[in-house]
Amino acid sequence: MTDSVHKEFVDSFKTELKVASPGRINLIGEHTDYNKGFVLPTAIDKHIIFQFQKNNTPDTCNVYSATFDKMMSFNLNEVAPSDKEWENYILGVVSQIQLRDKQIAGFDCIIESYLPMGSGISSSAALECGLAFGLNQIFNLGLEKIDLVKIGQKAEHTYVGTQCGIMDQFASVMSEKGHVILLDCDSIAHQMIPADFGDYQVLLLNTNVSHNLADSAYNTRVAECASVVKAIAKNNPEVTSLREATFEMLAAVKSEITPIAFKRATYVLEENARVEKAVKALKEKDLTTFGELMYGSHNGLQNDYEVSCEELDFLAAFSKNYDQVLGARMMGGGFGGCTINLIHKDGVAEFVADATKAYKEKFNIDLTSFTAVPSQGTAIIN
Ligand code: GLA
């Protein structure tokens, strides 16, 4: 950073506020959020760090990514989508704040990311929510936490172009240390559940691949699910999402929808049921059942929802050779990123070593791994 042409910007920066915005894991409940179903995410102990200062101009903003040594400057009166993807996360958030008639003025920001990008731990939500959180603070905008969540999600819809659900932003902002969140993505009611894994830990294995299908395939899945809702709603007008659909309703429209849409919707209904069972198992400290449900989730994502990839499938299958691993599955949007594994702490070293070797042999790619601790959401730090 010191050799950068932006050294002067960094050196003269007088930090008024420092914010840490975390990545997230999701124990179970994948691709259910935009179907108004259930998810079980939490923030983790890895963050994007933001420094903010007001720069005493009415409308000039400078945002520097120290991680990528990239600077963007823009005028608050001319906020519009950019052709650079990372800038759209920033501009999208600013635009959403403006749309809520909240007044901000010129600011400077330095961003350092400790979240591996494309690894499915939602560095994008951390970026959106950390920025919204910081601007809310320094300009006293009076936004509630849930507003920050919605600003992040809307920024993604409008400027980034992914029709994402609410899970990532909700987890990034709302999480509490030592808990997972059972979030009902319909009512947005949530319950904090102690992440009581006993001698077990959450281990992420990063495939270090990110197949570029991810964005378009994501929006296709959203549309496929919507097509099923539309078919069901013809005879059941009260149904506005797959959350409200039943297996009977789905069976009744089987001939009217494509076989692919039928598979997608079957997965969503099954996954919602799995989340409810998983929460019951977690509360009863029945981690064996919890792990089996994780494998069930992966199976559905691989075969019915078809958002996995061979690298993720390999790691999920490989984990089955280890008694110490109770469950594993792909996590997040899919097509790359991490598997999430529930593993006995004594088994981590051996499993990581073996998986790394086998993965390298199979794909000639270096696997990376890290344990993830359920942690607090976006917060001010010193
Ligand atoms: C991405 C999206 C989330 C969610 C997951 C899949 O992370 O941002 O809203 O849909 O994929 O569960």
Side-chain angles (χ1 to χ4, degrees), residues 287-308:
L287 296 183
T288 304
T289 299
F290 193 96
E292 282 161 8
L293 291 161
M294 290 173 78
Y295 280 125
S297 171
H298 185 84
N299 186 45
L301 289 158
Q302 176 181 348
N303 299 310
D304 293 337
Y305 217 66
E306 295 178 289
V307 289
S308 189

Side-chain angles (χ1 to χ4, degrees), residues 130-187:
L131 181 70
F133 185 100
L135 295 178
N136 188 37
Q137 287 290 322
I138 60 168
F139 293 112
N140 292 315
L141 303 180
L143 293 162
E144 303 283 334
K145 276 185 167 187
I146 190 67
D147 299 323
L148 305 178
V149 171
K150 290 183 178 162
I151 285 171
Q153 185 195 19
K154 272 276 170 198
E156 193 113 11
H157 289 182
T158 53
Y159 273 56
V160 182
T162 309
Q163 298 305 311
C164 67
I166 201 165
M167 168 172 75
D168 300 349
Q169 292 80 7
F170 198 95
S172 191
V173 174
M174 300 292 203
S175 292
E176 286 174 14
K177 192 176 173 196
H179 290 77
V180 292
I181 307 175
L182 171 60
L183 174 64
D184 176 335
C185 298
D186 189 16
S187 64

Side-chain angles (χ1 to χ4, degrees), residues 259-308:
I260 286 191
F262 183 78
K263 279 209 294 189
R264 307 292 192 245
T266 302
Y267 162 78
V268 172
L269 266 58
E270 288 174 354
E271 182 75 348
N272 273 326
R274 272 190 290 265
V275 179
E276 293 187 286
K277 285 186 194 147
V279 167
K280 184 169 175 285
L282 182 57
K283 287 181 176 168
E284 290 168 357
K285 302 197 192 328
D286 177 4
L287 296 183
T288 304
T289 299
F290 193 96
E292 282 161 8
L293 291 161
M294 290 173 78
Y295 280 125
S297 171
H298 185 84
N299 186 45
L301 289 158
Q302 176 181 348
N303 299 310
D304 293 337
Y305 217 66
E306 295 178 289
V307 289
S308 189

Side-chain angles (χ1 to χ4, degrees), residues 327-343:
R329 56 179 209 86
M330 58 146 278
M331 190 181 73
F335 302 103
C338 293
T339 58
I340 177 169
N341 303 263
L342 189 60
I343 180 171

Side-chain angles (χ1 to χ4, degrees), residues 24 26 29-34 39 122 156 162 164-169 218 332-334:
R24 64 101 188 89
N26 183 27
E30 218 65 85
H31 287 272
T32 44
D33 61 352
Y34 53 82
V39 291
S122 204
E156 193 113 11
T162 309
C164 67
I166 201 165
M167 168 172 75
D168 300 349
Q169 292 80 7
Y218 189 95

